[in-house]
Structures are given as structure tokens and as C-alpha cells.
Amino acid sequence: MPTPDLAVIGGGQLARMMQPPAIALGLRIRLLAEGPDVSAAQIVPDHVVGDHTVLDDLRGVVDGAPVVTFDHEHVPPEHLRVLESEGHACRPGPHALLYAQDKAAMRERLGALGAPCPRNAPVASRDDLEAFGFPAVLKTTRGGYDGKGVWVVRSQDDADEAFASDRPLLAEELVDFRRELSALVARSPSGEVRSYPVVESRQVGGVCAEVVAPAPDLDPALAAEARSLAERIATELDVTGILAVELFETGDGRLLVNELAMRPHNTGHWSIDGAVTSQFENHLRAVLDLPLGGTDARQPWSVMVNVLGGAVDDLEAQRSVVLAAEPDVKVHLYGKSVTAGRKVGHVTAVGDDLDDVLSRARHAAALLTDG
Ligand code: ADP
């Protein structure tokens, strides 16, 4: 195999969606995949099967690659520091990634920056929780995703599962939010920063169900505030690549940061079909310190709906049904086997009329989920 331009750690759908812009730009990706048939390994020929927690597996895949980036945030920082000392640029670096890996560290750092956050405190005991007060949201500081490791607690009894997890916990005030927003930025090592239009993300059961870009009826001043907040966090934390800042919009029109992700993010998938430059292309451009591409939307509305594993278990057979029913909706399948609730694809519709765009996207996703 020829020398890669970059190594990508992790073979999920995010790595998979980096491959089309890599092909277009003539960039070669080498992948560390969890197995021979995971989502990205199916389409990135230069892949090595290994474990991202094993230093030698990481060394094997980054060999000859000047830049290393990620499909997820779970590579141990101490391994990344070794890779850096051996001459590989990790983007984002371990010093930044910490704030996407550890919610307590993130809260402390954002608090120091004066970024608006829900009231929060580390909780080591039942007494600490009592002192924090109810209702509260308890979160494991590390390893949570898609709402796993998040508990709404209105009394000590509700906290049994959280304490039984035996993991460090953070308590946050239960925010009575109007909706969830997401502000995405791309930042390169030389400091170029570009932010995407702020989107609304709608969750069902802790999992992102659909994303509307831009967020409907968002006060332009609040949108500008969200974008400049995300740009400032990216710069202050020295993030390289895509940073997603998940936000709550409160009933009284304030923004609070929920959490940070330092990789292409589900709330940016609309950009593949809806923006001048997709988040995946800008992630590659950013981590390779290439000039960034425009982040504007190409039409008034884009709606992305996730396809979660449901009644349809043969997605390939259902593909022709959805393409016939919604010929203008863009269908993205991740090459993953269907299990209940698993993210196996997404669809995006774009256009001038939000109701029409929403209904076409929802219809296409329902055909792939429910048949
Ligand atoms: P994960 O790492 O699993 O994505 P999050 O911290 O994003 O966890 O929380 C998952 C969901 O739980 C959020 O999208 C939001 O709907 C809800 N949530 C999280 N924190 C709070 C909070 N402080 N107040 C109210 N709801 C919250």
C-alpha cells in the first residue's frame, strides 16, 4: 500500500464518511478497525485490524502516517502522548481530547473560561448528592454515550443505578430546556476556524433522532452567540478538526453548554448534502492543515433523520423501495447489521419549504426503519 496521508483510529460510520472526501481530494487514509468487516473497513482498503487501547496496535497503523485522527474519543491519552513523542501529530491532541473524554474536566475548564454551563459539581457520595440538591442529572464523567451513563434523579432512590455503576459521577442541575442546539466548528492547527450554521437536534430516549439546519426561529443574536462560543472553545482548548458543542436553549433565551465532541458529529451529517463543504471534508482539511472550505448551507433547509435499527432487517432490499418513494432524499447506509436502536444509516432532505423537507426525510427514514 502507498504511504497514507493520515491514519484514522476506529472504523465506525464517522470514519466511513471521511472516505468519499478523501477520495475526492486524493488523500489516502489508513484505518485502525475493530474488526475486518466494520463499517469503515468495508470501504477503506488500507485497514489494519486492531485494538485502539493497545499501544502496539496504534503504532502499527500510524507507521508512516504524519497525522492521526479519530472516529471516536476513546484512545487512551497516554498512548497519544507516546505517538506524539514518536513524531505523529495527533489531531485533536490529547490535551484537547481530555475535555471530550471527561465531563468533569470539561465542566471545570469551561467554567474557568466563563462559558455558560449548567450548575454542576463532582459527586463522590450520597451526602454530596444531598448537598447538591434535587432534581439533578447524574452523569458518569467518562464513557457515556447516547444517554447511557445519564440519570435524572429526583430523590436518593433514583440514584441507585448511578452509584452502583461505581464510576466517578458529576451532578448537574436539571435544565428545563426549550430545545437542544448544536454548534459545529472546524479548526486547523494554524488557527483557521470556520463555524457551521447552528442546528436544532431532537433526541428520543437520549439518542439523536433528527436534526434541522438551521435551527428554526433561532434568534439571530443567539445563533451568533452560539457560533462565537464554539469558535472560542475550539481556540482556547486548541481543538483541531471538527468540534461539536452541544447546547441547551433555555426557555428564557439563554445558551448552556451540554457537552463537547471532538470529531465529526451526528448533528453535522446534514452538511454532506446540505452545506458547501461537509463536516467530513472539513475535518480532513483541518487535521491536515489544509485551507478550510465554506460552511454555509446550500439551500434554506436541510433535515437529517437517523435510521435506527427497527423492523426492517434487510436494508439493502428496502433501499430500492425508499429510493423509488423519495427519489430526492439522500440515503446513507453504514454497512452495519441491524439490531434494535443501532444507528445504521441516515437520510437527508433539502429544500425551500421546511414542512415539505421534514416530511420527506421522515418518510424516507420510516421506510428504512419500519418498512
Ligand atoms: P451522552 O454523553 O450520553 O450523549 P449527554 O450529557 O449529552 O450524554 O446527555 C444525554 C441527554 O440527556 C442530553 O442530550 C439531554 O437530552 C439530557 N441531559 C443531559 N444533561 C442534562 C441536564 N443537565 N439537564 C437536562 N437534561 C440533560
Side-chain angles (χ1 to χ4, degrees):
M1 287 285 182
T3 316
D5 295 288
L6 77 166
V8 178
I9 310 303
Q13 66 264 24
L14 302 179
R16 180 184 175 102
M17 289 186 272
M18 292 178 202
Q19 182 71 333
I23 292 169
L25 293 172
L27 297 169
R28 292 192 187 90
I29 289 177
R30 178 183 293 154
L31 184 74
L32 181 67
E34 296 79 357
D37 200 34
V38 295
S39 183
Q42 296 167 22
I43 57 147
V44 178
D46 187 3
H47 63 263
V48 178
V49 174
D51 181 342
H52 63 265
T53 65
V54 175
L55 180 58
D56 280 341
D57 287 6
L58 293 168
R59 281 188 169 126
V61 76
V62 306
D63 187 30
V67 169
V68 183
T69 193
F70 312 96
D71 169 85
H72 56 70
E73 290 134 343
H74 309 314
V75 181
E78 59 275 18
H79 291 352
L80 296 180
R81 283 191 283 272
V82 174
L83 298 183
E84 286 190 325
S85 73
E86 293 172 353
H88 306 278
C90 297
R91 294 184 178 150
H95 58 285
L97 216 43
L98 167 67
Y99 303 110
Q101 292 174 327
D102 186 320
K103 288 176 179 169
M106 178 267 289
R107 287 287 178 230
E108 200 180 319
R109 186 80 166 89
L110 292 186
L113 287 178
C117 290
R119 186 172 67 87
N120 64 89
V123 157
S125 66
R126 296 274 183 179
D127 285 350
D128 286 355
L129 178 60
E130 199 69 39
F132 186 83
F134 298 99
V137 179
L138 279 179
K139 299 181 173 185
T140 56
T141 57
R142 287 176 170 268
Y145 68 99
D146 284 351
K148 295 180 182 65
V150 176
W151 298 269
V152 175
V153 294
R154 296 176 190 281
S155 68
Q156 289 285 3
D157 288 348
D158 293 342
D160 290 351
E161 206 180 307
F163 282 108
S165 74
D166 220 17
R167 313 249 291 276
L169 297 172
L170 181 77
E172 293 180 358
E173 73 178 277
L174 178 65
V175 178
D176 181 18
F177 56 83
R178 202 183 135 219
R179 57 178 170 177
E180 295 189 60
L181 303 173
S182 174
L184 244 74
V185 292
R187 180 174 177 276
S188 64
S190 51
E192 188 182 0
V193 180
R194 287 191 185 234
S195 58
Y196 283 87
V198 177
V199 302
E200 175 175 340
S201 106
R202 299 170 181 166
Q203 327 278 320
V204 176
V207 180
C208 175
E210 63 186 27
V211 170
V212 181
D217 302 320
L218 180 61
D219 175 353
L222 211 58
E225 192 184 319
R227 288 175 79 150
S228 71
L229 177 63
E231 290 173 12
R232 189 159 77 87
I233 292 172
T235 302
E236 297 276 359
L237 270 46
D238 189 31
V239 180
T240 43
I242 294 284
L243 166 74
V245 180
E246 295 179 18
L247 296 158
F248 299 124
E249 181 186 358
T250 63
D252 57 354
R254 287 174 303 126
L255 296 173
L256 295 171
V257 177
N258 176 25
E259 68 168 346
L260 308 179
M262 295 182 194
R263 50 172 169 74
H265 192 252
N266 202 167
T267 59
H269 290 358
W270 69 275
S271 64
I272 300 174
D273 304 301
V276 174
T277 312
S278 81
Q279 64 162 346
F280 297 97
E281 178 172 342
N282 261 343
H283 185 76
L284 297 178
R285 288 162 75 150
V287 299
L288 292 167
D289 211 8
L290 296 167
L292 301 179
T295 48
D296 288 345
R298 283 196 264 122
Q299 53 286 303
W301 297 106
S302 301
V303 171
M304 189 271 343
V305 181
N306 275 332
V307 178
L308 304 180
V312 173
D313 52 23
D314 189 349
L315 285 173
E316 268 114 57
Q318 196 65 2
R319 185 167 44 205
S320 56
V321 174
V322 67
L323 295 180
E326 293 293 352
D328 298 335
V329 173
K330 295 296 164 191
V331 174
H332 301 256
L333 299 176
Y334 304 154
K336 291 160 74 172
S337 61
V338 175
T339 54
R342 187 181 196 200
K343 288 178 185 169
V344 289
H346 74 266
V347 299
T348 304
V350 301
D352 297 332
D353 181 82
L354 178 55
D355 288 339
D356 167 64
V357 172
L358 255 177
S359 74
R360 286 190 290 123
R362 285 176 181 167
H363 182 220
L367 287 172
L368 287 165
T369 306
D370 308 322

